Amino acid sequence: MESLLKYQHRCVSIFTDKSRNPTGFAVGSIEGRVAIMYVEAANPSADNFTFKCHRSTPTAPVNTQDIFSVNDIAFHPVHGTLATVGSDGRYSFWDKDDRTKLKTSDAINDQPITCCAFDARGQLFAYASSYDWHKGHEGNVQTKKNAILLRQCFEEMKPKPKK
């Protein structure tokens, strides 16, 4: 399959349907973008899509935006929603079916978040904060400590009710 993303891919994660059969995957890239792609899409141009994430809010007067790599993607085992983590030091929760953001964290530990995972029951979200080399060896500050963090997530990952 050809990717919808133009720049270097950083991560990939498979998602399943309600019967737990693999149906597609998400790919994250260095351009702060994720592609959702279905393996056997009925209408690929409508079903497959990309979205922007892990970017700073543009500020006036120049309206420039910092763009950060998507370092990892994990799908919630119960709800089918997903989490992305990035070089901006934030995690975000998304509903791919509704194509909406559920939550974005504040920056964590003043470092990138490099990887993430859900436990099998979908109760806990684990993520690691450490340097990801996106600024080369010059950006590696030895005094910054690596951290593994856990948080309850089951309710936050529920898709919002349809209106």
Side-chain angles (χ1 to χ4, degrees), residues 23 25 30 32 38 42-44 86 101 106-107 123 132 161:
T23 55
F25 56 92
I30 62 168
Y38 290 84
N43 185 355
K101 185 189 310 186
D106 291 330
Q123 298 292 322
D132 66 357

Side-chain angles (χ1 to χ4, degrees), residues 59-123:
T59 54
V62 288
N63 281 337
T64 60
Q65 187 177 51
D66 293 323
I67 299 172
F68 300 92
S69 294
V70 178
N71 289 333
D72 202 7
I73 301 168
F75 283 90
H76 192 273
V78 176
H79 303 308
T81 50
L82 67 139
T84 61
V85 297
S87 293
D88 58 349
R90 300 175 194 277
Y91 61 82
S92 293
F93 297 156
W94 307 87
D95 181 345
K96 72 171 176 44
D97 298 326
D98 202 29
R99 299 184 182 195
T100 58
K101 185 189 310 186
L102 301 173
K103 174 191 177 89
T104 296
S105 73
D106 291 330
I108 308 291
N109 204 25
D110 195 33
Q111 289 197 101
I113 299 177
T114 53
C115 59
C116 66
F118 291 101
D119 76 293
R121 296 178 308 136
Q123 298 292 322

Side-chain angles (χ1 to χ4, degrees), residues 10-158:
R10 178 63 65 98
C11 55
V12 63
S13 184
I14 295 171
F15 59 86
T16 61
D17 60 17
K18 298 206 183 306
S19 302
R20 310 279 298 149
N21 296 313
T23 55
F25 56 92
V27 180
S29 77
I30 62 168
E31 63 176 319
R33 193 178 287 272
V34 169
I36 302 292
M37 300 183 68
Y38 290 84
V39 176
E40 295 179 7
N43 185 355
S45 61
D47 296 341
N48 298 335
F49 65 96
T50 67
F51 62 89
K52 295 177 185 177
C53 53
H54 299 286
R55 295 163 182 245
S56 66
T57 304
T59 54
V62 288
N63 281 337
T64 60
Q65 187 177 51
D66 293 323
I67 299 172
F68 300 92
S69 294
V70 178
N71 289 333
D72 202 7
I73 301 168
F75 283 90
H76 192 273
V78 176
H79 303 308
T81 50
L82 67 139
T84 61
V85 297
S87 293
D88 58 349
R90 300 175 194 277
Y91 61 82
S92 293
F93 297 156
W94 307 87
D95 181 345
K96 72 171 176 44
D97 298 326
D98 202 29
R99 299 184 182 195
T100 58
K101 185 189 310 186
L102 301 173
K103 174 191 177 89
T104 296
S105 73
D106 291 330
I108 308 291
N109 204 25
D110 195 33
Q111 289 197 101
I113 299 177
T114 53
C115 59
C116 66
F118 291 101
D119 76 293
R121 296 178 308 136
Q123 298 292 322
L124 291 176
F125 177 62
Y127 53 103
S129 171
S130 65
Y131 188 58
D132 66 357
W133 299 97
H134 73 281
K135 293 182 180 177
H137 74 281
E138 297 91 1
N140 186 21
V141 178
Q142 293 290 324
T143 56
K144 291 187 179 180
K145 298 295 180 199
N146 300 332
I148 298 171
L149 301 107
L150 302 172
R151 66 176 286 119
Q152 292 287 328
C153 68
F154 193 82
E155 293 300 317
E156 292 176 315
M157 294 303 297
K158 279 185 179 176

